């Protein structure tokens, strides 16, 4: 009974049920919509892969490092106070 999974007559029954549920006029529209969706998905996946390949091949330039001991946020013009 469950030795092979799907047999040809199972697929025939599924096809008949799908045709009865959706009708013969809706099936071509659904197939076109599915095809368009698959093409869009494939093109977006390819674009993302190309984008990540380009990002990995471009060397990263080092950024400037702030080496001052004074905080860049300080706006005081007075010298720092010293303890006596």
């Amino acid at each position: 009974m469950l030795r092979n999974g799907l047999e040809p007559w199972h697929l025939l029954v599924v096809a008949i049920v799908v045709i009865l549920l959706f009708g013969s006029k809706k099936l071509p529209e659904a197939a076109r919509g599915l095809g368009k969706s698959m093409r869009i998905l494939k093109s977006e996946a390819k674009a993302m892969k190309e984008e990540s390949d380009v990002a990995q091949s471009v060397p990263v330039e080092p950024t400037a490092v702030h080496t001052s001991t004074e905080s860049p946020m300080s706006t005081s013009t007075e010298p720092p106070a010293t303890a006596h």
Side-chain angles (χ1 to χ4, degrees):
M1 184 166 151
L2 293 174
R3 64 187 187 285
N4 291 335
L6 289 178
E7 294 183 14
W9 68 271
H10 289 128
L11 297 176
L12 181 66
V13 169
V14 169
I16 291 171
V17 168
V18 168
I19 290 172
L20 288 176
L21 284 176
F22 296 107
S24 61
K25 293 187 181 203
K26 293 282 184 180
L27 289 178
E29 292 175 21
R32 273 191 290 277
L34 182 62
K36 284 182 182 179
S37 298
M38 292 301 293
R39 280 191 296 272
I40 291 170
L41 179 65
K42 186 189 280 188
S43 68
E44 290 296 323
K46 184 178 177 183
M48 287 177 62
K49 184 177 182 211
E50 289 174 356
E51 186 176 293
S52 69
D53 289 345
V54 168
Q56 289 177 356
S57 66
V58 174
V60 178
E61 294 182 18
T63 58
V65 178
H66 187 69
T67 59
S68 174
T69 57
E70 205 173 303
S71 170
M73 296 299 287
S74 69
T75 58
S76 174
T77 57
E78 298 177 15
T82 57
H84 288 283

